[in-house]
C-alpha cells in the first residue's frame, strides 16, 4: 500500500495536472492535513514533493501556491476521479508510521538507538497496541531488530552494517531479477528505460524525489514481479538503505555531477530488454557491490553537520565494539 504522503501527493498532482487546482491556489500543511484526515508530517512531505516536481512555489508567509502553467505538467496522468474524502480508512499505525520511520532512519546515520514503545505511544497520543504495530512494521522494513532482553534496537548505519546489507542484497536481488524477467510487464521496462534516458539527458534537473523514484522502480517494482513472496520478504528486510536514501539524496544531491547509479540501472534494463537475463543479473550484482562505498560516502557527508534533536522515545546507545571499530 502506498504511504500516506504518496497518496496525498498523487491526488494533488492529478488535480493540478487536470486544472482542478487553479494557478495560484494556496496550499498549507494544515489545510492539506485537514482535507485528507492525516497528520501534518505526511502533508508536509507531499507538499515538498510537489514543489520538487515543479508544481508548487513557496508562498509568502506559510505554505505554497500552485505554479502558473502547471496544468497538464504533472508527471502522472489522471487515473481516477479526484478524492475529496479524508484518507481515514487507513489503520491507526499508518497515521504516524511515516514520521516515526523518517525520524529513526535519520538518526541511525549518527548512532544506534533503543526504541521505547511506551514512550512512543505517549509521544504520539496513541495506544501501546498502535505503537507496537508501528515497531512491527519497522522490523519488517529492516529498520529495527530485537536486541538483548527483547529490546527494540535501530542499528547505526556503520560501515560494517551497511556492508552486510549490501552483501545480502547482492546475493538475493540478482536471483529475484532472473525470476522477475518472465513476469515483469514490458511496459514497466520501457518506462524505466525512458525515464533513465531522460534523467541522463538532464541530470541537473533531478531532485531527491526523482532519484528515489528511479531506485524504487528497479529494486522494488521490478523485483516485485519475481513471484516468490518468501524471497521478496528476505529482500525487503535488507533494503532499509533504500529508505535511508530518501533522506540522503535530498541532502547530498550535489555530490555527483551525474548520479552514478543512473548508467548502471540503464545497463541492467538494456540487458533485460534484449533478453540477456544473466548479463542483467551480473550487472545488478556489480551495481550493488560498488554502491556500498557511495552509500558510506553520503553517510559520512551527512554526519559532518547532522545533529538531530532528542526524541523522548529514542535512547541513544553506545556503539557495539565491532561497529565502533568499523566507523
Amino acid at each position: 500500500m502506498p504511504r500516506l504522503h504518496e497518496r496525498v501527493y498523487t491526488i494533488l498532482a492529478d488535480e493540478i495536472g487536470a486544472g482542478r487546482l487553479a494557478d495560484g491556489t494556496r496550499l498549507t500543511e494544515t489545510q492539506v492535513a485537514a482535507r485528507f484526515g492525516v497528520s501534518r508530517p505526511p502533508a508536509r512531505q507531499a507538499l515538498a514533493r510537489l514543489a520538487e516536481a515543479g508544481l508548487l512555489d513557496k508562498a509568502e508567509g506559510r505554505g505554497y501556491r500552485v505554479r502558473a502553467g502547471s496544468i497538464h505538467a504533472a508527471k502522472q496522468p489522471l487515473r481516477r476521479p479526484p478524492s475529496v474524502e479524508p484518507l481515514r480508512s487507513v489503520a491507526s499505525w499508518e497515521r504516524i508510521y511515516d514520521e516515526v520511520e523518517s525520524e529513526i532512519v535519520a538518526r541511525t546515520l549518527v548512532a544506534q538507538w533503543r526504541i521505547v514503545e511506551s514512550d512512543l505511544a505517549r509521544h504520539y497520543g496513541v495506544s501501546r497496541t498502535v505503537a507496537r504495530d508501528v515497531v512491527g512494521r519497522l522490523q519488517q522494513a529492516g529498520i529495527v531488530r530485537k536486541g538483548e532482553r527483547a529490546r527494540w534496537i535501530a542499528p547505526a548505519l556503520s560501515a560494517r552494517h551497511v556492508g552486510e546489507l549490501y552483501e545480502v542484497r547482492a546475493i538475493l536481488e540478482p536471483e529475484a531479477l532472473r525470476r522477475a524477467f518472465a513476469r515483469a510487464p514490458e511496459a514497466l521496462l520501457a518506462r524505466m528505460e525512458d525515464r533513465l534516458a531522460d534523467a541522463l539527458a538532464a541530470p541537473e534537473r533531478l531532485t531527491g524525489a526523482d532519484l528515489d523514484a528511479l531506485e524504487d522502480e528497479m529494486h522494488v517494482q521490478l523485483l516485485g514481479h519475481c513471484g516468490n513472496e518468501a524471497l521478496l520478504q528476505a529482500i525487503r528486510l535488507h533494503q532499509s538503505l533504500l529508505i535511508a536514501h530518501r533522506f540522503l539524496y535530498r541532502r547530498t544531491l550535489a555530490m555527483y555531477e551525474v548520479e552514478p547509479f543512473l548508467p548502471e540501472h540503464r545497463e541492467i534494463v538494456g540487458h533485460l530488454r534484449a533478453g540477456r537475463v544473466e548479463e542483467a543479473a551480473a550487472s545488478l550484482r556489480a551495481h550493488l557491490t560498488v554502491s556500498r562505498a557511495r552509500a558510506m560516502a553520503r553517510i559520512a557527508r551527512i554526519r559532518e553537520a547532522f545533529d538531530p534533536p532528542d526524541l523522548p522515545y529514542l535512547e541513544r546507545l553506545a556503539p557495539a565494539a565491532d561497529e565502533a571499530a568499523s566507523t
Side-chain angles (χ1 to χ4, degrees), residues 141-210:
I143 296 169
V144 305
R145 62 191 183 197
K146 280 287 181 72
E148 295 180 2
R149 299 192 295 276
R151 301 191 305 177
W152 289 111
I153 304 297
L157 291 176
S158 65
R160 179 187 179 91
H161 183 46
V162 170
E164 289 175 346
L165 291 173
Y166 272 111
E167 184 178 3
V168 175
R169 289 180 64 190
I171 294 170
L172 297 178
E173 292 193 26
E175 179 58 29
L177 185 70
R178 293 187 187 94
R179 294 166 179 260
F181 172 69
R183 299 177 175 88
E186 177 61 25
L188 172 60
L189 294 175
R191 185 176 76 240
M192 291 173 68
E193 189 171 56
D194 289 345
R195 290 184 176 177
L196 288 165
D198 290 344
L200 285 164
E204 72 282 356
R205 297 174 57 185
L206 294 174
T207 66
D210 292 328

Side-chain angles (χ1 to χ4, degrees), residues 30-299:
T30 302
Q31 171 195 355
V32 171
R35 173 187 169 184
F36 292 102
V38 299
S39 62
R40 291 182 64 173
R44 184 184 311 126
Q45 288 176 280
L47 290 171
R49 283 192 60 193
L50 289 165
E52 286 184 346
L55 301 178
L56 300 179
D57 288 316
K58 269 286 190 181
E60 293 183 8
R62 295 184 302 109
Y64 298 83
R65 291 191 184 280
V66 175
R67 177 175 293 180
S70 291
I71 293 177
H72 307 305
K75 293 183 179 179
Q76 297 295 330
L78 185 67
R79 295 186 178 90
R80 59 188 180 287
S83 170
V84 295
E85 295 297 324
L87 303 179
R88 295 191 182 278
S89 60
V90 299
S92 297
W93 65 266
E94 193 178 356
R95 299 175 192 273
I96 66 172
Y97 180 85
D98 282 1
E99 181 176 356
V100 176
E101 178 189 80
S102 178
E103 297 284 13
I104 292 177
V105 168
R107 284 162 176 76
T108 59
L109 297 172
V110 298
Q112 64 172 343
W113 305 83
R114 177 193 174 202
I115 298 90
V116 184
E117 280 186 10
S118 57
D119 292 338
L120 176 65
R122 189 176 304 111
H123 180 70
Y124 285 101
V126 297
S127 68
R128 285 287 298 274
T129 300
V130 171
R132 192 172 301 117
D133 285 344
V134 168
V135 176
R137 266 65 181 190
L138 292 169
Q139 182 187 32
Q140 292 173 8
I143 296 169
V144 305
R145 62 191 183 197
K146 280 287 181 72
E148 295 180 2
R149 299 192 295 276
R151 301 191 305 177
W152 289 111
I153 304 297
L157 291 176
S158 65
R160 179 187 179 91
H161 183 46
V162 170
E164 289 175 346
L165 291 173
Y166 272 111
E167 184 178 3
V168 175
R169 289 180 64 190
I171 294 170
L172 297 178
E173 292 193 26
E175 179 58 29
L177 185 70
R178 293 187 187 94
R179 294 166 179 260
F181 172 69
R183 299 177 175 88
E186 177 61 25
L188 172 60
L189 294 175
R191 185 176 76 240
M192 291 173 68
E193 189 171 56
D194 289 345
R195 290 184 176 177
L196 288 165
D198 290 344
L200 285 164
E204 72 282 356
R205 297 174 57 185
L206 294 174
T207 66
D210 292 328
L211 296 177
D212 182 44
L214 291 167
E215 289 269 50
D216 185 81
E217 282 186 331
M218 173 63 70
H219 298 287
V220 178
Q221 295 181 41
L222 177 57
L223 298 186
H225 291 282
C226 80
N228 185 316
E229 186 57 34
L231 177 58
L232 280 177
Q233 288 179 3
I235 289 172
R236 292 184 194 117
L237 189 62
H238 295 89
Q239 283 186 332
S240 57
L241 275 171
L242 289 181
I243 301 169
H245 270 98
R246 294 174 191 153
F247 181 89
L248 293 170
Y249 284 142
R250 291 198 302 272
R251 290 161 176 80
T252 60
L253 197 57
M255 275 189 70
Y256 302 100
E257 213 172 298
V258 177
E259 183 58 43
F261 82 72
L262 296 175
E264 295 164 5
H265 279 201
R266 183 172 63 176
E267 179 180 285
I268 295 165
V269 175
H271 284 315
L272 289 173
R273 297 211 74 194
R276 298 187 295 265
V277 182
E278 287 306 314
E279 289 88 340
S283 293
L284 176 56
R285 184 180 299 106
H287 159 63
L288 291 168
T289 299
V290 299
S291 293
R292 174 189 176 277
R294 296 197 294 256
M296 287 309 305
R298 290 185 189 277
I299 291 169

